[in-house]
Amino acid sequence: MSGLQPQESTVDTPRTVNAPAVELEHESVTAHQVLAGAPTTAATTLGHIFGVEYGLWEMSVGSMSDVEAEELFVVLSGSATVQIHAANGFQAAVLRLEPGTVCHLSEGMNTSWVVDEPLRKLYLTP
């Protein structure tokens, strides 16, 4: 995996990662999730720290539906709109994502993602 710079450590986590340089292998989004276009996604786990997994996730231009896992993320590049649907006890909301946005999604949220520019995020999940 390009961009990773592991250092000797007592944890399974590299000390530094050049997040934009990490190459990710995209896969097509399953047909029942596609809302528009031909979106693809890719992800890689970078490590674990404090009992939390962290990694990179990326989506190409297009639109898809999803049911979320519990996560906190920071958008590194790209732009998107995420619609949270009023379901499973969550209120409807529209979130605009751009570089620097910090976002928390809760497990079980039904969402629709519309990606305008390929979106890359650094995620943390239990």
Side-chain angles (χ1 to χ4, degrees), residues 27-46:
E27 296 180 359
S28 297
V29 171
T30 58
H32 75 276
Q33 289 181 278
V34 174
L35 300 175
T40 61
T41 60
T44 190
T45 300
L46 297 174

Side-chain angles (χ1 to χ4, degrees), residues 49-67:
I49 191 164
F50 310 120
V52 174
E53 174 185 308
Y54 71 96
L56 297 172
W57 181 88
E58 189 171 76
M59 182 177 163
S60 68
V61 171
S63 181
M64 67 177 274
S65 64
D66 200 11
V67 177

Side-chain angles (χ1 to χ4, degrees), residues 2-114:
S2 176
L4 293 180
Q5 306 264 331
Q7 306 286 321
E8 275 192 52
S9 174
T10 58
V11 295
D12 67 342
T13 306
R15 294 282 182 203
T16 63
V17 175
N18 182 353
V22 175
E23 294 178 25
L24 300 175
E25 291 187 37
H26 279 247
E27 296 180 359
S28 297
V29 171
T30 58
H32 75 276
Q33 289 181 278
V34 174
L35 300 175
T40 61
T41 60
T44 190
T45 300
L46 297 174
H48 296 82
I49 191 164
F50 310 120
V52 174
E53 174 185 308
Y54 71 96
L56 297 172
W57 181 88
E58 189 171 76
M59 182 177 163
S60 68
V61 171
S63 181
M64 67 177 274
S65 64
D66 200 11
V67 177
E68 299 301 328
E70 191 73 29
E71 76 171 305
L72 178 71
F73 65 85
V74 179
V75 176
L76 302 174
S77 62
S79 64
T81 301
V82 176
Q83 181 178 2
I84 299 170
H85 302 285
N88 301 330
F90 298 104
Q91 293 184 342
V94 176
L95 311 175
R96 185 67 189 153
L97 306 178
E98 55 192 25
T101 301
V102 177
C103 183
H104 171 235
L105 296 176
S106 296
E107 184 173 2
M109 283 181 166
N110 290 321
T111 58
S112 297
W113 291 70
V114 179

